[in-house]
Amino acid sequence: MTTLDKAPAEASAPTAAPLPGSAPEPVATAPERKLKLGGVTREDVFTVLGALVGSLGLDWVLYERVLPFSGALGFLLCWYLLFLVGYYGLGRLQWGGLMVRERLVSVVAWSSGALVLGLIADQIGYVASRGYEAAQHGNFFTETMERTASLSPITSGGAVHAVVGSLEQLGLATLFAVPLGIAAAVFMSEVGGRMARPVRTLVEAMTALPSIVAGLFILGIVILTFGFDKSGFAASLALTVMMMPIVTRAAEVVIRLVPGTLREASYALGGSQWRTVWNVVLPTAKRGLVTAVVLGMARAVGETSPVLLTAGFTSRMNANPFEGHQISLPLYIWSYVKLPVDQMVARAFAAALTLMAVVLILFVTARILGGRAAGEMSRRQKRRLARAERQAAVRRPAASSFGAAPVAASVAAPADPAVRPSAAAPFRSAVATGEH
């Protein structure tokens, strides 16, 4: 019932004013409506579907009836271009020019990501389908090729010696390349000087170095000049040459992203340059440095030509990387995939699938070892902080109730004529300082 429907006396009756000291009555307000920013609407979905269907029909007409073109790759490329044009045209019918351009860029980004994921899934699926015949048998992960010939059944032989060789060579290369790469990055970003520019130029040149050149360098210097035999250690040196520029460039970029205020705060507290780098800069850039290490490992783990020139080939288990020939998974794949025997080709694809699994495990392990970000508390620290807050909340009510009487006495003391100011002053100062 509105004000117009009420009686004149009722409608003109003044509203009762709230009593002094009473809390005002809450005013009923409409619930807030949350605005959702971003997301996908029905119009977006229908626009994309309409552009896909329309561009597919137009592409089929052009390829089959009008233009003398053929081939699946050209058909898909033309379909994608027509889809973008159709999406832009349909978007102009609904939205403004700025929103159409924004959504068109979003569609291009999403389609590019979907294309990359599709290519990765296709490669993994193809390798898994070709290597499943050998990987489904347990002997592939427990046996070597020492007693296995080319025409032996698939239930004989394996690649455990190649897995051991890859892990040892990659581990040694990481042990050599990571300290050198991070030290070079710290020199270029924190120390500087006249030598910083030549070092940076050399690192950039080594980034584009072909892998075969790294293998030839180690072959000529370590094996032919110094007389060392081909071994896993020599292969790890070649992989170090490939890893170090990647780690250095990525680490330098990450270290330069550390805010300069952190360095200034460390210097203001009296820290030296090396202590600032060790205790402030490197811990702050820890996650980025782990990413740099992962990029270097990704570059080295699949190299074949440096290992082919420096590690040799063997079908036996050799767990000593400093003596004798040692095979790795990339070399195992390269050696067996070219043989005209189905069993050997299946073993090669199973080794490729194993290499993917090893790389995934190494990357996950590196991420776990990288730990939390700078300034982020661990679970143990969060539990300790929560426990301290609960204990402080329990002690706070007891302290307030215990201190209520002295506070009241101190307030009433100046009004009591029997209490002299000289006697009340020490008591008030004691209460103000929290002494009971």
Side-chain angles (χ1 to χ4, degrees), residues 10-284:
E10 183 181 359
S12 60
T15 305
L19 297 177
S22 61
E25 296 182 359
V27 180
T29 58
E32 296 182 357
R33 182 181 179 184
K34 296 182 179 180
L35 298 178
K36 184 179 179 181
L37 301 179
V40 180
T41 62
R42 186 187 308 173
E43 290 78 6
D44 295 337
V45 176
F46 288 158
T47 303
V48 171
L49 292 179
L52 282 174
V53 175
S55 59
L56 177 61
L58 181 59
D59 189 25
W60 180 83
V61 171
L62 292 177
Y63 257 73
E64 297 295 332
R65 301 300 183 209
V66 179
L67 301 176
F69 294 153
S70 62
L73 181 60
F75 182 86
L76 294 176
L77 180 60
C78 184
W79 183 19
Y80 182 72
L81 296 178
L82 291 175
F83 161 72
L84 294 180
V85 175
Y87 183 82
Y88 181 82
L90 293 177
R92 288 292 295 175
L93 298 177
Q94 309 174 64
W95 311 303
L98 181 61
M99 184 175 294
V100 170
R101 289 193 294 270
E102 179 184 355
R103 299 196 177 190
L104 183 63
V105 172
S106 300
V107 167
V108 172
W110 278 97
S111 58
S112 301
L115 177 62
V116 172
L117 291 178
L119 292 176
I120 294 175
D122 178 71
Q123 293 178 5
I124 295 176
Y126 178 75
V127 173
S129 62
R130 294 292 302 271
Y132 177 74
E133 182 182 359
Q136 65 179 338
H137 302 286
N139 60 281
F140 183 80
F141 304 100
T142 57
E143 298 181 3
T144 64
M145 297 295 292
E146 183 177 1
R147 294 182 175 87
T148 304
S150 299
L151 299 179
S152 298
I154 202 67
T155 55
S156 174
V160 63
H161 57 305
V163 174
V164 173
S166 290
L167 292 178
E168 291 182 350
Q169 294 171 17
L170 184 61
L172 289 174
T174 304
L175 182 63
F176 298 150
V178 170
L180 293 175
I182 295 180
V186 170
F187 171 76
M188 290 187 294
S189 59
E190 299 294 326
V191 179
R194 295 182 177 179
M195 293 300 299
R197 185 181 296 274
V199 171
R200 185 177 292 107
T201 303
L202 180 61
V203 169
E204 292 177 354
M206 290 180 62
T207 304
L209 186 71
S211 58
I212 189 69
V213 176
L216 289 173
F217 173 76
I218 299 300
L219 176 65
I221 300 297
V222 177
I223 297 177
L224 299 180
T225 303
F226 292 100
F228 289 95
D229 192 12
K230 292 184 178 181
S231 61
F233 175 71
S236 66
L237 293 179
L239 296 180
T240 301
V241 176
M242 302 301 302
M243 286 182 61
M244 190 172 62
I246 304 297
V247 176
T248 303
R249 289 294 298 160
E252 183 190 7
V253 173
V254 171
I255 291 174
R256 287 183 177 274
L257 293 177
V258 176
T261 54
L262 297 179
R263 300 179 178 89
E264 295 173 0
S266 177
Y267 293 147
L269 293 175
S272 59
Q273 185 178 19
W274 72 267
R275 187 173 293 276
T276 300
V277 172
W278 184 259
N279 294 333
V280 177
V281 176
L282 294 182
T284 304

